[in-house]
């Protein structure tokens, strides 16, 4: 049985390292998972790596199996896929998703893992946490048949929202980003693409996920009267300035936040976090999502990957981390 593993820690802002971890013996209601893949959630994890989580958000930003505290040392991450090496018979040998930091093996409660459907490749399954965020956002947004919708920000979250919106009957979807290279991703997801200057206006709904003040302003500017912006961006400690003059009041525009960690009010009490993850994994039975995995590195390279992502030297949507037994 695996007794020792390795985990990635942010030692201090701007510096990460791989550390050994001693694993406990799994209890009767626990599983031992050997990691095959993990995914780097670029937006959130670069904020953590750079030490830019505001002090008043330290508790809200804690990952389920995080160790240490912000700004560091801290072990962070939440997109992990592996194989159950020890645990209840119904999970033994299964490929599972877990909201666990980057670590080569770990012991968690059996209730913390969700089986990956047979039709979903393990590498694609790392997107489950992000697709779950998109599911909750669309529960908040509640798009209607025939709506004209823009998604501003073609990062992981924005692309997952656009991919799900493309499945709504009669909904016109446009993905908006400053990076023209995202046009290829939009095409793979089956939606239109535009840069901000060319984006289509008069939208019923805009989902904002660029994490920039300019993106939020563009989102407001694209709305039709009585339209709504659903705000998914996490800004860390960065202030955001937008203009609330012009059509904001006369057009009765709305800006609404969507909280990642809380079930949308319409589903509260009926759909647990595990339910949402299971739904996300089912939705990932679609090869279009492979367009969101834009690079791969070995686990030993993860400290350098985080540094390059934070510095802007590595362009990525979801950067895949592979482990010793990864393909």
């Amino acid at each position: 049985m695996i007794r020792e593993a390795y985990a990635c820690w942010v030692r201090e802002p701007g510096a990460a390292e791989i550390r050994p971890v001693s694993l406990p013996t799994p209890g009767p209601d626990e599983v031992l998972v050997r990691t095959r893949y993990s995914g780097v959630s670029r937006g959130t994890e670069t904020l953590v790596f750079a030490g830019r989580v505001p002090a008043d958000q330290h508790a809200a930003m804690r990952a389920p199996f995080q160790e240490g505290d912000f700004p560091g040392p801290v072990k962070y991450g939440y997109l992990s896929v592996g194989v159950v090496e020890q645990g209840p018979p119904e999970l033994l040998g299964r490929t599972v998703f877990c909201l666990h930091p980057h670590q080569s093996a770990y012991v968690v409660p059996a209730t913390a893992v969700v089986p990956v459907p047979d039709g979903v490749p393990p590498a694609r399954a790392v997107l489950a946490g992000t697709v779950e965020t998109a599911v909750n956002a669309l529960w908040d947004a509640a798009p209607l048949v025939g709506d004209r919708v823009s998604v501003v920000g073609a990062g992981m979250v924005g692309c997952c929202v656009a991919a799900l919106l493309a499945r709504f009957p009669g909904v016109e979807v446009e993905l908006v980003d400053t990076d023209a290279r995202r046009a290829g991703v939009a095409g793979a997801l089956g939606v239109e693409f535009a840069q901000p200057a060319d984006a289509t206006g008069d939208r019923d709904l805009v989902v904002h996920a660029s994490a920039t003040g300019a993106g939020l302003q563009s989102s407001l500017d694209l709305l039709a009267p009585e339209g709504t912006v659903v705000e998914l961006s996490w800004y860390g400690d960065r202030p955001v300035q937008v203009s609330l003059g012009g059509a904001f009041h006369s057009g009765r525009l709305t800006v609404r936040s969507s909280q990642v960690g809380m079930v949308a009010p319409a589903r509260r009490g009926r759909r647990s976090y595990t339910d949402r993850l299971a739904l996300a994994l089912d939705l990932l039975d679609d090869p279009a999502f492979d367009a969101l995995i834009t690079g791969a590195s070995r686990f030993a390279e993860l400290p350098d990957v985080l540094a390059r992502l934070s510095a802007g030297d590595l362009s990525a949507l979801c950067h895949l981390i592979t482990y010793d037994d990864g393909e």
Side-chain angles (χ1 to χ4, degrees):
M1 189 181 73
I2 302 170
R3 294 293 185 184
E4 188 173 79
Y6 294 88
C8 184
W9 284 74
V10 175
R11 183 178 69 251
E12 60 186 15
E17 62 188 13
I18 305 296
R19 297 182 179 181
V21 179
S22 294
L23 299 180
T25 300
D29 298 319
E30 294 181 316
V31 291
L32 169 64
V33 178
R34 172 178 52 82
T35 309
R36 292 191 63 193
Y37 301 99
S38 61
V40 180
S41 178
R42 183 186 179 204
T44 303
E45 291 198 56
T46 54
L47 288 173
V48 171
F49 178 78
R52 302 194 64 181
V53 178
D56 63 353
Q57 293 297 303
H58 283 189
M61 280 288 293
R62 286 194 69 86
F65 295 100
Q66 174 182 325
E67 292 184 37
D69 295 298
F70 306 115
V74 62
K75 183 175 73 174
Y76 198 79
Y78 46 83
L79 302 174
S80 181
V81 172
V83 176
V84 176
E85 300 266 299
Q86 186 173 339
E90 65 272 17
L91 290 173
L92 196 60
R94 292 292 303 273
T95 297
V96 295
F97 176 86
C98 184
L99 295 163
H100 199 280
H102 306 280
Q103 186 166 312
S104 61
Y106 46 87
V107 174
V108 294
T111 54
V113 301
V114 182
V116 175
D118 291 340
V120 178
R124 189 191 305 159
V126 300
L127 296 168
T130 311
V131 173
E132 182 276 326
T133 298
V135 166
N136 200 45
L138 292 177
W139 283 350
D140 279 329
L144 301 176
V145 173
D147 270 357
R148 298 156 299 178
V149 185
S150 292
V151 179
V152 175
M156 280 179 67
V157 172
C159 285
C160 286
V161 170
L164 297 186
L165 280 168
R167 305 177 182 203
F168 279 66
V171 169
E172 176 188 311
V173 187
E174 186 171 81
L175 185 60
V176 180
D177 198 273
T178 57
D179 188 348
R181 292 173 296 181
R182 296 290 187 251
V185 177
L189 299 177
V191 301
E192 297 297 319
F193 176 82
Q195 292 183 276
D198 302 316
T200 307
D202 204 33
R203 311 305 270 180
D204 302 298
L205 171 68
V206 177
V207 179
H208 179 235
S210 82
T212 66
L216 179 55
Q217 186 65 61
S218 293
S219 299
L220 286 166
D221 294 343
L222 292 175
L223 287 177
E226 301 199 351
T228 297
V229 171
V230 174
E231 176 61 279
L232 286 181
S233 298
W234 170 247
Y235 298 93
D237 60 359
R238 291 170 293 166
V240 176
Q241 182 174 336
V242 294
S243 172
L244 298 184
F248 182 75
H249 288 285
S250 62
R252 297 176 55 84
L253 306 182
T254 298
V255 179
R256 180 181 182 182
S257 69
S258 183
Q259 170 53 255
V260 172
M262 184 179 295
V263 179
R267 305 298 194 276
R268 195 170 295 151
R270 295 193 290 118
R271 305 293 284 272
S272 69
Y273 198 82
T274 300
D275 290 335
R276 284 150 58 192
L277 278 176
L279 172 59
L281 284 162
D282 285 339
L283 291 169
L284 280 167
D285 190 2
D286 182 345
F289 283 100
D290 290 337
L292 305 189
I293 298 175
T294 53
S297 299
R298 305 295 295 172
F299 176 55
E301 300 171 298
L302 181 53
D304 181 61
V305 167
L306 290 170
R308 293 170 62 202
L309 286 171
S310 183
D313 296 334
L314 179 62
S315 177
L317 288 173
C318 178
H319 195 85
L320 191 70
I321 302 301
T322 66
Y323 293 73
D324 288 343
D325 294 316
E327 295 174 354

